[in-house]
């Protein structure tokens, strides 16, 4: 209810601001003119007489009768007039004088009284009228935006009387979009999800076939997966494929927009769906309403009511008519179990991060809209982007196109896309960061340290690029490693190797400069996370074996784990993590010591060139050095 109050207050402020603006405009543009028109100065009768004598008078209004005389002077314009009272019995004399002065007499100068009256009428009632109209219009607009029985600002009758949140029923509702303009063709990869949804499409197209055989189709399907994998896109595509109306609402809208009326909104939504069936009802980010109801301290009546209504409606609707409720979330673990039971969202459609083939397909789909300069090798981009979501990939293509425009080219090249991969991973190049000479050296050794350790591992992804150009993300340089093929399993040895590679940067700094810098912070974070997972989740330690010591909190969002063990065990886990990292560090140091000569040579080379390719790196690394004794072959 607090939100309700907020919303209303915001609308009030908006209204007052608009009203004030309108008033100011009227006041500065319209009213002064009006007032001037009737600006009448009181003068004495003798002034009139002397004005007449001096032939200063241009026109006289004698129509008011009696003794009242209004007149204007020559050359003073229409907005100035004078008023005086003639002496009783002097009318004839005055008429003569006026004639003698050659002033016009058949004119009407708006009299004081009547002009004042119009003035007040306009300055007082016009604004009120305008504001009432404005209020009515705003009210209507808001109702439209917020659905019926909304907190209405009912200015039309009785001022602000409606502010208490009218509960009237009106026609404003969630509107179904008829043509979503998206079909399965617009979704690349995600073949399994599409396969599942094709059945839904078929059901929507001919519900009768399913009914005839007595099959009961799922009422609801829940699309689960990390952000940006195309869940919203898929739901739209289902509607587009089936050509049915698409009611779309996001869970947060229930919470935010329909405060206090979430339950009513749900009822209304399903009522409409019933009328429009066959159709799709899509609830995006359903976790906002569908969060597990628990006996915890933070109960949220509002949300619970909305959820309850949703549960009721999902049980109640007649799905022979062809209504399918789709919902999307990236936090399936937090959903109320009641939502997931059969008859509700019983079908769960995973929409995972795309694999290599999927990434390539998504890149191709989005690159279709971009003018490119061959040769373009999108599979190279796909290989360099493990873990990227569809949204990331579409962003990479777009960033590439933007880069081409920035450089004044009409076509995007492979270079553009490769650079934009780095932009998406590490941020834009930051030209403003000027490293000191020493810092540049440290970064060069650090990156080459990573690269040499990586190159000395039997397996593991080859180094593809090393750079010491600072990025907006704060990275002062980085070493890019790209797997040849997609990896689904990682062995313990590979994990250990990876840890050593993480340690390689710091190890090189220590070895060459005998000092530590803050540059390794990110490496340390990554290494610690990996080492901890090794022990708590992958069962790769002798001490704990296959015991799970932590659970993943949110599989699709952060992958963060929380420990589920006793405090004493947690301490031992920390010790084990430290041991693993220490060993990796030692190993990295050892490798670099053995390759110190190459470390110097390559770091100097990188320092000079700032960015080198993986090929350059490997050629230099493998080159026999004439000054060094040949390595004994093992
Ligand atoms: P989600 O709802 O899962 O967070 P969206 O459906 O909103 O993700 O996807 C965001 C954008 O990313 C889409 O509009 C689309 O441009 C792009 N995208 C994501 N996945 C795909 C895909 N599989 N194929 C094509 N484009 C995709
Ligand atoms: Mg979405
Ligand atoms: Zn590093």
């Amino acid at each position: 209810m607090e939100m309700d109050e907020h919303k209303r207050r915001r609308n009030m402020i908006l209204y007052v601001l608009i009203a004030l603006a309108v008033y100011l405009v009227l006041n500065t543009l319209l009213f002064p003119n009006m007032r001037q028109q009737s600006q009448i100065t009181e003068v004495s009768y003798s002034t009139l007489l002397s004005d007449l004598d001096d032939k200063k008078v241009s026109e006289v209004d004698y129509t008011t009768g009696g003794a009242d005389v209004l007149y204007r002077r020559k050359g003073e314009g229409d907005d100035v007039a004078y008023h005086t009272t003639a002496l009783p019995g002097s009318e004839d004399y005055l008429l003569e004088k006026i004639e003698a002065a050659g002033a016009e007499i058949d004119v009407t100068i708006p009299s004081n009284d009547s002009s004042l009256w119009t003035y007040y009428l306009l300055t007082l009632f016009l604004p009120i009228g305008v504001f009432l109209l404005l209020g009515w219009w705003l009210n209507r607009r808001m109702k439209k935006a917020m659905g019926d029985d909304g907190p209405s600002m009912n200015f039309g009758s009785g001022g602000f009387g409606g502010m208490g949140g009218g509960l009237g029923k009106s026609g404003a509702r969630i509107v179904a979009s008829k043509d979503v303009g998206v079909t399965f063709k617009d979704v690349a990869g995600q073949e399994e999800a599409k396969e599942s949804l094709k059945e839904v499409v078929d059901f929507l197209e001919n519900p009768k076939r399913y009914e005839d055989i007595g099959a009961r189709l799922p009422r609801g399907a829940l699309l689960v997966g990390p952000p940006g994998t195309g869940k919203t896109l898929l739901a739209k595509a289902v509607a587009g494929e089936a050509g049915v109306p698409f009611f779309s609402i996001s869970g947060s809208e229930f919470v935010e927009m329909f405060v206090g009326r979430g339950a009513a909104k749900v009822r209304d939504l399903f009522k409409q769906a019933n009328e429009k069936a066959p159709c799709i009802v899509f609830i995006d980010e359903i976790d906002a309403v569908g969060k597990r109801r628990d006996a915890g301290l933070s109960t949220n009546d509002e949300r619970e009511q909305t959820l309850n209504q949703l549960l009721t409606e999902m049980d109640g609707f007649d799905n022979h008519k062809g209504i399918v409720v789709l919902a999307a979330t990236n936090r399936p673990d937090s959903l109320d179990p009641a939502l997931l039971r059969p008859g509700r969202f019983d079908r769960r459609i995973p929409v995972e991060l795309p694999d290599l083939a999927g990434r390539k397909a998504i890149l191709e789909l989005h690159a279709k809209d971009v003018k490119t300069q061959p040769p373009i090798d999108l599979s190279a981009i796909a290989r360099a982007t493990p873990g990227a979501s569809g949204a990331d990939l579409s962003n990479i293509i777009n960033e590439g196109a933007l880069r081409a425009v920035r450089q004044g080219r009409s076509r995007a090249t492979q270079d553009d896309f490769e650079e934009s991969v780095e932009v998406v991973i590490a941020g834009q190049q930051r030209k403003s960061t000027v490293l000191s000479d020493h810092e540049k050296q440290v970064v060069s050794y650090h990156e080459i340290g990573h690269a040499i350790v990586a190159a000395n591992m039997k397996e593991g992804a080859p180094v593809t690029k090393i750079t010491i150009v600072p990025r907006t993300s704060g990275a002062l340089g980085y070493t890019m490693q790209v797997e040849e093929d997609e990896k689904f399993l990682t062995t313990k040895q590979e994990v250990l190797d990876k840890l050593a590679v993480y340690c390689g940067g710091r190890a090189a700094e220590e070895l060459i400069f005998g000092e530590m810098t803050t540059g390794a912070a990110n490496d340390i974070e990554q290494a610690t996370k990996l080492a901890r997972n090794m022990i708590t989740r992958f069962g790769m330690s002798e001490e704990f074996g296959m015991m799970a010591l932590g659970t993943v909190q949110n599989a699709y969002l952060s992958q963060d784990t929380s420990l589920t063990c006793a405090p004493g065990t947690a301490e031992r886990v920390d010790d084990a993590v430290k041991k693993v990292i220490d060993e990796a560090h030692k190993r990295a140091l050892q490798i670099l010591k053995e390759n110190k000569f190459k470390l110097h040579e390559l770091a100097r080379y990188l320092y000079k060139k700032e960015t080198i390719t993986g090929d350059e790196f490997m050629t230099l690394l493998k080159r026999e050095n004439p000054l060094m004794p040949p390595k004994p072959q093992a």
Side-chain angles (χ1 to χ4, degrees):
M1 291 316 271
E2 211 190 324
M3 293 287 290
D4 206 3
E5 214 47 54
H6 271 293
K7 191 116 206 157
R8 250 182 252 149
R9 197 164 304 152
R10 223 183 49 206
N11 283 327
M12 259 302 287
I13 291 171
L14 184 74
Y15 173 76
V16 168
L17 280 180
I18 295 180
L20 218 71
V22 170
Y23 184 79
L24 279 176
V25 167
L26 284 176
N27 218 13
T28 50
L29 292 182
L30 188 57
F31 297 152
N33 287 339
M34 280 171 38
R35 205 170 355 195
Q36 268 163 21
Q37 214 161 34
S38 51
Q39 197 177 338
I40 292 169
T41 316
E42 205 63 36
V43 293
S44 69
Y45 184 46
S46 55
T47 311
L48 168 61
L49 292 183
S50 64
D51 278 352
L52 282 171
D53 284 342
D54 298 346
K55 300 223 171 10
K56 274 189 190 163
V57 180
S58 62
E59 43 193 33
V60 181
D61 179 0
Y62 211 20
T63 54
T64 42
D68 280 324
V69 186
L70 279 160
Y71 72 98
R72 288 190 172 120
R73 284 182 183 151
K74 281 177 190 156
E76 283 191 345
D78 280 357
D79 44 356
V80 187
Y82 300 89
H83 175 255
T84 187
T85 317
L87 287 181
S90 66
E91 285 92 352
D92 290 345
Y93 170 70
L94 189 58
L95 272 176
E96 256 173 50
K97 280 219 115 178
I98 292 170
E99 239 164 78
E104 248 181 282
I105 195 160
D106 284 337
V107 291
T108 333
I109 298 172
S111 87
N112 222 352
D113 289 350
S114 74
S115 74
L116 256 189
W117 192 81
T118 9
Y119 177 66
Y120 284 130
L121 186 82
L122 281 168
T123 48
L124 278 177
F125 295 111
L126 184 75
I128 292 178
V130 167
F131 295 163
L132 283 181
L133 229 105
L134 199 77
W136 170 79
W137 172 78
L138 258 178
N139 201 1
R140 242 179 52 132
R141 228 184 51 132
M142 253 170 35
K143 272 193 186 165
K144 207 176 248 162
M146 307 180 72
D148 57 355
D149 54 26
S152 61
M153 300 212 305
N154 202 348
F155 298 101
S157 54
F160 296 86
M163 295 295 288
L167 287 164
K169 247 186 117 56
S170 78
R173 23 178 64 164
I174 302 157
V175 238
S177 53
K178 192 81 187 141
D179 186 16
V180 288
V182 176
T183 61
F184 281 151
K185 277 209 285 307
D186 300 298
V187 189
Q190 306 299 359
E191 296 307 327
E192 301 78 12
K194 277 200 245 176
E195 207 52 53
S196 278
L197 289 167
K198 265 186 193 133
E199 201 179 26
V200 172
V201 172
D202 190 47
F203 170 63
L204 287 167
E205 275 170 347
N206 10 239
K208 185 123 193 351
R209 246 181 53 200
Y210 289 81
E211 196 187 330
D212 283 350
I213 204 169
R216 191 178 55 84
L217 235 98
R219 290 153 178 269
L222 185 64
L223 299 158
V224 293
T229 45
K231 299 182 293 297
T232 308
L233 194 67
L234 271 165
K236 278 192 189 153
V238 173
E241 285 284 327
V244 297
F246 183 67
F247 292 93
S248 164
I249 186 163
S250 117
S252 57
E253 275 175 289
F254 277 120
V255 180
E256 237 184 50
M257 250 167 94
F258 304 127
V259 193
R261 297 162 306 122
K265 212 65 234 166
V266 170
R267 210 177 311 128
D268 183 52
L269 179 63
F270 278 87
K271 203 172 128 233
Q272 279 191 80
N274 233 323
E275 285 160 12
K276 289 255 168 76
C279 67
I280 288 179
V281 174
F282 177 51
I283 306 171
D284 209 352
E285 318 288 350
I286 195 176
D287 43 285
V289 271
K291 228 175 263 158
R292 192 184 297 272
R293 292 164 296 182
D294 53 19
L297 293 169
S298 60
T299 50
N300 184 339
D301 278 351
E302 157 70 10
R303 213 196 61 225
E304 248 170 55
Q305 270 173 25
T306 309
L307 175 56
N308 282 332
Q309 189 64 40
L310 185 62
L311 296 175
T312 314
E313 292 292 343
M314 287 213 62
D315 279 343
F317 74 77
D318 172 14
N319 94 325
H320 292 304
K321 278 188 175 170
I323 301 174
V324 171
V325 187
L326 294 178
T329 181
N330 38 41
R331 314 206 41 196
D333 45 296
S334 74
L335 288 183
D336 196 286
L339 263 179
L340 302 172
R341 79 138 169 77
R344 288 173 186 150
F345 292 107
D346 45 6
R347 184 171 288 197
R348 203 168 153 135
I349 302 174
V351 187
E352 298 291 348
L353 288 172
D355 57 10
L356 184 60
R359 289 199 299 276
K360 185 159 176 246
I362 295 172
L363 285 168
E364 272 164 0
L365 184 80
H366 286 276
K368 258 206 328 244
D369 306 331
V370 174
K371 283 207 184 105
T372 49
Q373 175 76 55
I376 298 283
D377 180 14
L378 289 176
S379 36
I381 309 284
R383 249 183 288 119
T385 46
S389 69
D392 292 333
L393 296 168
S394 124
N395 192 20
I396 283 172
I397 295 290
N398 194 48
E399 281 288 338
L402 288 178
R403 185 173 182 260
V405 174
R406 233 179 280 134
Q407 302 188 351
R409 281 177 282 115
S410 58
R411 285 174 183 277
T413 62
Q414 178 75 6
D415 253 13
D416 290 329
F417 296 134
E418 272 171 15
E419 170 62 23
S420 71
V421 170
E422 286 172 60
V423 169
V424 171
I425 295 172
Q428 294 277 1
Q429 292 193 357
R430 197 160 68 178
K431 303 249 161 60
S432 61
T433 308
V434 182
L435 295 182
S436 75
D437 216 41
H438 177 67
E439 282 171 334
K440 225 173 117 183
Q441 273 182 31
V442 172
V443 179
S444 301
Y445 276 98
H446 178 110
E447 296 308 332
I448 294 294
H450 283 305
I452 288 183
V453 175
N456 271 274
M457 298 302 170
K458 269 203 212 67
E459 311 273 326
V463 173
T464 52
K465 184 171 180 176
I466 312 169
T467 168
I468 54 165
V469 179
R471 296 272 164 173
T472 46
S473 66
L476 296 177
Y478 57 86
T479 304
M480 225 162 103
Q481 279 178 277
V482 175
E483 296 280 357
E484 303 264 73
D485 293 303
E486 189 119 58
K487 269 250 162 73
F488 298 98
L489 283 176
T490 311
T491 62
K492 180 176 176 185
Q493 190 54 48
E494 281 162 346
V495 175
L496 291 173
D497 290 356
K498 216 166 160 184
L499 280 175
V501 174
Y502 281 136
C503 295
R506 162 63 64 88
E509 290 178 38
E510 287 171 308
L511 189 67
I512 305 299
F513 302 98
E515 65 184 7
M516 298 179 197
T517 69
T518 52
N522 185 260
D523 298 333
I524 292 170
E525 199 181 311
Q526 303 268 352
T528 310
K529 211 181 211 168
L530 184 60
R532 191 170 286 278
N533 274 338
M534 225 181 123
I535 289 151
T536 59
R537 286 176 58 213
F538 306 150
M540 287 179 181
S541 69
E542 260 128 56
E543 183 169 6
F544 298 104
M546 277 184 59
M547 181 183 180
L549 297 161
T551 48
V552 180
Q553 294 249 279
N554 194 318
Y556 292 124
L557 289 180
S558 58
Q559 291 274 0
D560 282 346
T561 41
S562 60
L563 286 184
T564 51
C565 52
T569 318
E571 245 181 87
R572 277 161 53 211
V573 169
D574 286 343
D575 292 343
V577 169
K578 182 171 185 315
K579 210 173 115 206
V580 172
I581 296 176
D582 280 350
E583 244 144 56
H585 189 183
K586 254 186 237 148
R587 217 174 127 210
L589 262 176
Q590 185 56 39
I591 291 172
L592 291 178
K593 261 182 208 152
E594 283 164 16
N595 293 277
K596 201 164 171 182
F597 196 85
K598 282 287 168 196
L599 178 59
H600 280 300
E601 187 187 351
L602 278 158
R604 257 179 239 136
Y605 186 70
L606 177 63
Y607 175 87
K608 217 167 52 203
K609 304 254 305 191
E610 299 206 339
T611 300
I612 61 176
T613 64
D615 288 338
E616 277 176 274
F617 169 77
M618 283 319 283
T619 329
L620 269 179
L621 188 69
K622 291 224 177 81
R623 195 174 65 181
E624 278 299 317
N625 205 297
L627 299 178
M628 285 282 283
K631 249 193 197 170
Q633 295 292 313

